[in-house]
């Protein structure tokens, strides 16, 4: 990862870091690199709260409220503070495993926290899959204008593909949009039946080329669903490349950008009216979000956590944390 640089924020009081320190209590040491065995073992942890006690949960929410109040009260007049230090304290205050990579492409400045920790990628893996498909379309080895047999005919009402409920085939582009903008799993099945993402198709080598240490565990097929393990640092390699690719001028790149801009979730904070190309992932012990924010001063964020629940698409506590994080970063880059 690149060398971290120190940033200074003109809109946040120096006392804010102290607030976080006072409020966060005991935290997990997130600086230890996760191993493949640890990442796999976490799947067997029983369902339950990420907090040890009710008092710990109350203390966390008190800290979050203090952070938001301090942001609001000092936005106009406060002197500068070290953003690295502020983000370090914010990330360390989160329960469980919390990882962050953000970058300003114009200046090359970046911030990283716990980026080697491994997670089940969940639906976040759909982003490199779509990127891989688009690259092959650019090379002429596949055609995104293909029609996919509709194996879900009559069962697509109330889904992102409901317009094709009675159709015999579904355009590959429509499936890609449903997969990226709405994280639709029927769309993934349609696409991966036609173009599987595994070792034999070259998808795992594609991930390895972007630095995925456990690329051999990753895949998307109708038989396996979404499998694998990856880190925030590895996904940052993908997002950095996607950031450049989306404006490369190819038809596939332009289409992928429209899909990401149409994403219908709101996890990492982005103000209304500011375009953002996004993709999230949510499952047991996996809650992640990616945002490429096309503000006056663009930037991108990758945030991955172990705080997911397969029965809740958008868990309240980590969503609130990412909202606060996203607002902090946005208001730093675009005061």
């Amino acid at each position: 990862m690149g060398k971290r640089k120190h940033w200074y924020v003109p809109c946040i009081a120096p006392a804010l870091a102290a607030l976080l320190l006072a409020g966060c209590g005991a935290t997990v040491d997130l600086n230890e690199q996760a191993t493949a065995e640890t990442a796999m073992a976490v799947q067997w942890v029983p369902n339950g709260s990420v907090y040890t006690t009710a008092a710990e949960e109350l203390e966390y929410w008190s800290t979050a409220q203090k952070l938001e109040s301090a942001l609001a009260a000092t936005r106009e007049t406060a002197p500068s503070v070290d953003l690295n230090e502020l983000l370090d304290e914010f990330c360390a205050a989160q329960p469980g495993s919390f990882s962050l990579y953000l970058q300003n492409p114009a200046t090359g400045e970046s911030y990283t926290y716990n980026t080697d920790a491994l997670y089940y990628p969940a639906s976040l893996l759909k982003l490199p899959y779509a990127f891989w498909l688009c690259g092959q379309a650019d090379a002429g080895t596949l055609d995104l204008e293909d029609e996919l047999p509709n194996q879900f005919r009559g069962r697509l009402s109330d889904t992102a593909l409901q317009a094709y409920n009675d159709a015999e085939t579904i355009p590959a582009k429509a499936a890609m949009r449903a997969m990226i903008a709405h994280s639709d799993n029927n769309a993934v099945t349609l696409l991966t039946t036609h173009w599987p993402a595994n070792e034999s198709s070259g998808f795992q080598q594609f991930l390895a080329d972007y630095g995925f240490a456990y690329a051999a565990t990753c895949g998307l097929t109708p038989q396996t669903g979404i499998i694998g393990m990856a880190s925030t640092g590895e996904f940052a390699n993908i997002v950095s490349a996607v950031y450049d690719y989306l404006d490369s001028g190819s038809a596939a790149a332009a289409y992928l950008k429209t899909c990401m801009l149409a994403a219908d979730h709101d996890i990492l904070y982005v103000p209304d009216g500011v375009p953002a190309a996004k993709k999230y992932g949510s499952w047991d012990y996996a809650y992640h979000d990616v945002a490429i924010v096309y503000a006056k001063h663009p930037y991108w964020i990758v945030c991955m956590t172990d705080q997911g629940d397969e029965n809740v698409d958008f868990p309240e506590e980590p969503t609130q944390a990412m909202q606060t994080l996203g607002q902090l970063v946005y208001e730093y880059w675009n005061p």
Side-chain angles (χ1 to χ4, degrees), residues 312-323:
V312 182
D313 280 345
F314 303 104
E316 181 180 359
E317 294 157 10
T319 298
Q320 180 60 47
M322 290 197 209
Q323 281 278 301

Side-chain angles (χ1 to χ4, degrees), residues 23-83:
C24 68
T27 60
V28 178
D29 182 359
L30 300 182
N31 293 319
E32 296 180 3
Q33 179 173 342
T35 64
E37 292 79 10
T38 301
M40 295 179 69
V42 77
Q43 303 299 317
W44 297 99
V45 178
N47 285 327
S49 173
V50 294
Y51 301 98
T52 304
T53 65
E56 183 181 331
E57 181 171 1
L58 180 62
E59 189 173 18
Y60 167 78
W61 282 105
S62 175
T63 300
Q65 291 168 356
K66 289 177 182 178
L67 174 61
E68 291 183 358
S69 297
L71 280 169
T74 64
R75 191 170 291 122
E76 296 294 331
T77 60
S80 63
V81 299
D82 183 341
L83 186 62

Side-chain angles (χ1 to χ4, degrees), residues 267-269 287-289 303 305 318-326:
I267 303 176
L268 283 166
Y269 170 85
Y287 193 56
H288 320 309
D289 199 17
C303 186
T305 82
T319 298
Q320 180 60 47
M322 290 197 209
Q323 281 278 301
T324 302
L325 170 65

Side-chain angles (χ1 to χ4, degrees), residues 12-334:
I12 301 172
L16 191 52
L19 274 176
L20 284 166
L21 279 169
C24 68
T27 60
V28 178
D29 182 359
L30 300 182
N31 293 319
E32 296 180 3
Q33 179 173 342
T35 64
E37 292 79 10
T38 301
M40 295 179 69
V42 77
Q43 303 299 317
W44 297 99
V45 178
N47 285 327
S49 173
V50 294
Y51 301 98
T52 304
T53 65
E56 183 181 331
E57 181 171 1
L58 180 62
E59 189 173 18
Y60 167 78
W61 282 105
S62 175
T63 300
Q65 291 168 356
K66 289 177 182 178
L67 174 61
E68 291 183 358
S69 297
L71 280 169
T74 64
R75 191 170 291 122
E76 296 294 331
T77 60
S80 63
V81 299
D82 183 341
L83 186 62
N84 277 331
E85 181 179 352
L86 179 62
L87 289 176
D88 281 346
E89 299 300 337
F90 176 82
C91 294
Q94 307 311 311
S97 181
F98 191 92
S99 302
L100 174 64
Y101 197 123
L102 62 93
Q103 185 169 74
N104 178 330
T107 66
E109 291 178 298
S110 63
Y111 172 85
T112 63
Y113 185 91
N114 195 36
T115 55
D116 291 330
L118 291 169
Y119 303 93
Y120 171 59
S123 289
L124 201 61
L125 198 61
K126 296 170 186 175
L127 175 57
Y129 175 57
F131 183 31
W132 175 69
L133 290 178
C134 288
Q136 292 190 77
D138 291 338
T141 55
L142 63 79
D143 190 350
L144 290 177
E145 301 298 332
D146 281 2
E147 292 282 329
L148 312 177
N150 184 3
Q151 57 191 283
F152 299 106
R153 191 176 183 184
R155 293 179 286 150
L156 293 174
S157 58
D158 299 322
T159 75
L161 292 169
Q162 60 184 342
Y164 301 94
N165 187 52
D166 298 320
E168 293 184 2
T169 63
I170 297 176
K173 280 186 173 181
M176 180 179 288
R177 184 180 178 91
M179 176 180 73
I180 294 298
H182 310 296
S183 206
D184 188 276
N185 287 325
N186 291 327
V188 176
T189 300
L190 293 168
L191 288 163
T192 58
T193 298
H194 202 56
W195 298 305
N198 52 23
E199 180 182 11
S200 61
S201 69
F203 179 69
Q204 291 180 352
Q205 184 58 53
F206 171 81
L207 293 179
D209 290 344
Y210 279 96
F212 279 56
Y214 296 97
T217 70
C218 296
L220 302 90
T221 71
Q223 294 75 32
T224 65
I226 299 171
I227 58 174
M229 60 183 69
S231 70
T232 298
E234 292 161 356
F235 267 97
N237 294 338
I238 291 287
V239 174
S240 180
V242 167
Y243 175 83
D244 293 332
Y245 176 71
L246 293 182
D247 293 314
S248 65
S250 84
Y255 188 73
L256 178 57
K257 187 173 184 178
T258 66
C259 295
M260 295 183 70
L261 288 171
D264 61 359
H265 69 276
D266 186 22
I267 303 176
L268 283 166
Y269 170 85
V270 179
D272 290 343
V274 176
K278 300 185 290 183
K279 184 70 194 81
Y280 82 101
S282 180
W283 197 250
D284 269 351
Y285 307 103
Y287 193 56
H288 320 309
D289 199 17
V290 162
I292 299 172
V293 182
Y294 294 102
K296 181 179 179 181
H297 303 289
Y299 60 92
W300 54 258
I301 305 180
V302 181
C303 186
M304 300 180 73
T305 82
D306 65 354
Q307 297 168 41
D309 180 341
E310 68 173 289
N311 298 312
V312 182
D313 280 345
F314 303 104
E316 181 180 359
E317 294 157 10
T319 298
Q320 180 60 47
M322 290 197 209
Q323 281 278 301
T324 302
L325 170 65
Q327 184 174 2
L328 174 66
V329 174
Y330 179 86
E331 292 183 356
Y332 167 67
W333 287 120
N334 295 274

